[in-house]
Amino acid sequence: MTGFIRGATAIVSATTHGLGEAPGFTAMELAAGASVKALATIGLKPRDVDAIFVALPEDPMSGLGLAEYLGVQTKLTDNNRTGGSSFETHAIHAALALEAGACDVALIAYGSNQRSAAGKLITSLRPNPYEWRYRLPRPVGSYALAATRYLHCYGVTRDALAEVAIAARRWAQLNPDAFMREELTREGYYKARMVADPLSVRDCCLVTDGAAAIVMTRAHRARDLAARPVYLLGGAAATEHRDIAQMPDLTVTAAVHSGARAFAQAGVRPGDFDVVELYDAFTINVLLFLEDLGFCKKGEAADFVAGGRIAPGGKLAVNTNGGGLSCTHPGMYGLFTIVEAVEQLTGRAGARQVANARLALAHGNGGEFSSQATLVLGSAETL
Amino acid sequence: MPSLHPEQEYFAHLAQGRFMLQRSASTGGYVFYPRVAEPGTGATDLEWVEASGRGVVYACTVVHQRPPAPDYNVVLVELAEGPRLISRVDGVAPADVKIGMRVRARILQESEGPLLVFVPDAP
């Protein structure tokens, strides 16, 4: 028993809002702006919502705040925070609650003004009494430790990380909403300022403002609200640690578990996907997730991405909006993987549209490879 | 000697110059960071035992700062007893810290409190 009913629920609206720089707005204003935009697209008002899922960067009770701000009386309020993967877990919980009849219209929202307000990544990571004095910059230093271990174990060089960064930039060049669109060459990649070996600024996600919102209903109602609902075919999460020192193997993430369970629920295999949206907080993430989700074997991601194979026109369309590396990363990126998957499955992705996209993967990562959450999304043809 | 206040007692030992780990009397498993129960088994019969101090660099990074602030290393050490912990390797240039390097624990007594670091082990 998988505990998840394939295609029982659907995303009926998905939008971004205030991407890039949105000076003068609070995180709540951006999240609420995205919410009303997503609702209006399908003719709903805030008072039609009865379940709210949200995690704002610096507001642990943002579920209460967003309900109040929008004027929603909720039956279900979920502030679940598993870092950047929070929003994939929200979608899983929303699907289960909708299917059980605990709610009828679920709103999942996020917003952050961290580029304009703070100018740096706002992180929920707290000082660790056993670790803080060694001055590991978090989260980048933790991902750097995983990267050095991975490069060491599998004889991989920074060329593989460069492929990921350059592919993301080439997708971003097709996306008018992406924050960094100027060409990134291999020379440009290698000239970038080193932050924590082997990760330079070009291996790190952007710090932008931005917001996003999606609306979910049961599948039956979805067909009345949206021309092209995007069905949730599978969704699974796995958490195994918080801080990198407690990660069982720095070269293997819990995406092995979340992916396998989500794919079993959906009845799909890695080779079935048309579009793959992976949480690329750092370039190393893409290599590990491609392996852990089964697109290639452990240690083979460098070959899998080589020669532009995940760039536009390549073998597999990965991070088609430009990802957290080149499109947007307002602190937590998980919801943006879902929105881009919906854009692709509804045929609204413009110049970056993947032809006949029917099946998409949206994968969230939180903390320091701590939380993994995988969604399998499909168009009506996949039901 | 059972551990009743894991975090407090760990740092008290360190202040007295002793690097101690917890070990479960029933399972034999070593635990770091110190806890009230062994992860997974939930065993609460955790006792303090002196660490061998031996370990191997499992992962490492060099953190780059804006000049003139110097680069520095941060490592994940795998202790001979099994657990891993974040620390640094002293006595060697940051870029010369390598995965697989054998290291030995040292306790520095600093104004901010005791600090566990590692130095390259004699071959």
Side-chain angles (χ1 to χ4, degrees):
Chain A
M1 184 172 159
T2 66
F4 195 94
I5 299 182
R6 184 186 194 279
T9 62
I11 298 168
V12 289
S13 185
T15 190
T16 60
H17 177 66
L19 289 193
E21 290 181 329
F25 289 105
T26 67
M28 181 63 80
E29 287 166 347
L30 290 166
S35 299
V36 292
K37 198 159 137 188
L39 290 165
T41 303
I42 49 170
L44 295 184
K45 295 186 165 50
R47 61 172 171 263
D48 298 320
V49 172
D50 63 358
I52 278 185
F53 301 75
V54 66
L56 296 188
E58 295 181 288
D59 181 359
M61 296 214 293
S62 43
L64 311 187
L66 187 61
E68 173 188 283
Y69 196 103
L70 292 174
V72 172
Q73 189 189 81
T74 62
K75 296 172 182 160
L76 210 158
T77 309
D78 185 340
N79 291 249
N80 187 40
R81 300 177 79 90
T82 57
S85 63
S86 300
F87 312 92
E88 278 81 4
T89 72
H90 292 162
I92 295 165
H93 299 171
L96 296 171
L98 285 163
E99 202 280 321
C103 62
D104 296 320
V105 178
L107 170 69
I108 304 175
Y110 177 72
S112 172
N113 62 352
Q114 59 194 264
R115 180 176 184 86
S116 298
K120 62 183 171 91
L121 186 74
I122 293 177
T123 171
S124 304
L125 302 171
R126 87 287 182 231
N128 176 319
Y130 302 98
E131 300 180 356
W132 69 270
R133 286 173 63 194
Y134 306 106
R135 296 182 293 152
L136 182 69
R138 300 192 111 129
V140 58
S142 299
Y143 285 89
L145 289 171
T148 60
R149 183 75 195 172
Y150 178 82
L151 299 187
H152 171 84
C153 286
Y154 294 102
V156 172
T157 69
R158 288 190 72 216
D159 284 348
L161 304 177
E163 284 283 352
V164 172
I166 291 166
R169 185 61 58 86
R170 285 186 53 206
W171 281 111
Q173 289 178 308
L174 301 176
N175 179 4
D177 291 332
F179 191 73
M180 292 195 90
R181 302 185 67 201
E182 61 271 31
E183 188 184 9
L184 176 63
T185 62
R186 194 161 286 270
E187 295 69 39
Y189 171 84
Y190 278 103
K191 274 189 203 155
R193 177 173 62 85
M194 192 59 78
V195 180
D197 287 307
L199 305 181
S200 74
V201 290
R202 291 282 77 83
D203 294 291
C204 299
C205 58
L206 305 168
V207 177
T208 63
D209 300 332
I214 66 172
V215 182
M216 290 177 63
T217 66
R218 283 181 287 281
H220 180 72
R221 182 157 183 213
R223 287 184 273 274
D224 298 331
L225 287 168
R228 302 172 92 165
V230 168
Y231 297 90
L232 193 48
L233 307 178
T239 298
E240 60 175 13
H241 64 277
R242 176 163 180 154
D243 292 338
I244 198 78
Q246 303 293 323
M247 186 170 176
D249 179 340
L250 264 61
T251 68
V252 183
T253 74
V256 167
H257 308 295
S258 65
R261 276 187 276 120
F263 295 175
Q265 291 161 356
V268 301
R269 293 170 304 149
D272 297 335
F273 286 99
D274 302 305
V275 178
V276 175
E277 307 296 342
L278 305 174
Y279 193 135
D280 56 343
F282 302 93
T283 48
I284 183 67
N285 296 36
V286 173
L287 301 181
L288 295 194
F289 294 153
L290 286 170
E291 294 173 357
D292 295 344
L293 294 167
F295 291 93
C296 58
K297 290 192 183 128
K298 185 51 64 183
E300 294 183 354
D303 289 338
F304 190 86
V305 303
R309 270 176 248 170
I310 60 169
K315 191 176 162 197
L316 182 67
V318 175
N319 294 355
T320 50
N321 57 350
L325 291 168
S326 282
C327 176
T328 193
H329 193 283
M332 293 195 273
Y333 175 73
L335 192 50
F336 298 87
T337 68
I338 304 174
V339 173
E340 176 63 11
V342 172
E343 291 282 302
Q344 291 286 346
L345 294 177
T346 53
R348 294 181 305 180
R352 66 187 190 280
Q353 179 68 47
V354 174
N356 302 314
R358 304 259 166 93
L359 191 70
L361 185 153
H363 181 78
N365 165 70
E368 302 177 342
F369 283 131
S370 324
S371 166
Q372 305 299 325
T374 311
L375 303 184
V376 179
L377 299 164
S379 64
E381 292 89 343
T382 64
L383 288 177
Chain B
M1 181 176 48
S3 40
L4 300 174
H5 297 92
E7 189 172 315
Q8 273 182 20
E9 289 171 23
Y10 172 78
F11 285 110
H13 285 305
L14 210 59
Q16 290 166 6
R18 289 193 302 272
F19 172 29
M20 304 289 275
L21 295 172
Q22 290 175 310
R23 185 178 62 196
S24 163
S26 56
T27 72
Y30 287 89
V31 176
F32 187 89
Y33 53 94
R35 301 176 207 197
V36 299
E38 183 184 31
T41 66
T44 55
D45 55 351
L46 299 176
E47 300 175 329
W48 291 110
V49 293
E50 187 139 15
S52 70
R54 288 181 294 111
V56 172
V57 174
Y58 175 86
C60 56
T61 187
V62 176
V63 179
H64 296 257
Q65 305 192 91
R66 292 185 194 281
D71 298 348
Y72 59 92
N73 76 81
V74 183
V75 297
L76 193 50
V77 172
E78 187 163 275
L79 300 173
E81 290 84 355
R84 293 187 205 124
L85 48 76
I86 295 284
S87 187
R88 71 174 195 236
V89 178
D90 283 354
V92 55
D96 292 337
V97 178
K98 301 289 183 200
I99 291 174
M101 181 183 270
R102 292 155 63 88
V103 292
R104 184 170 288 275
R106 288 275 183 280
I107 300 170
L108 307 181
Q109 301 296 342
E110 299 186 333
S111 58
E112 287 177 300
L115 185 68
L116 183 73
V117 299
F118 288 80
V119 295
D121 204 355

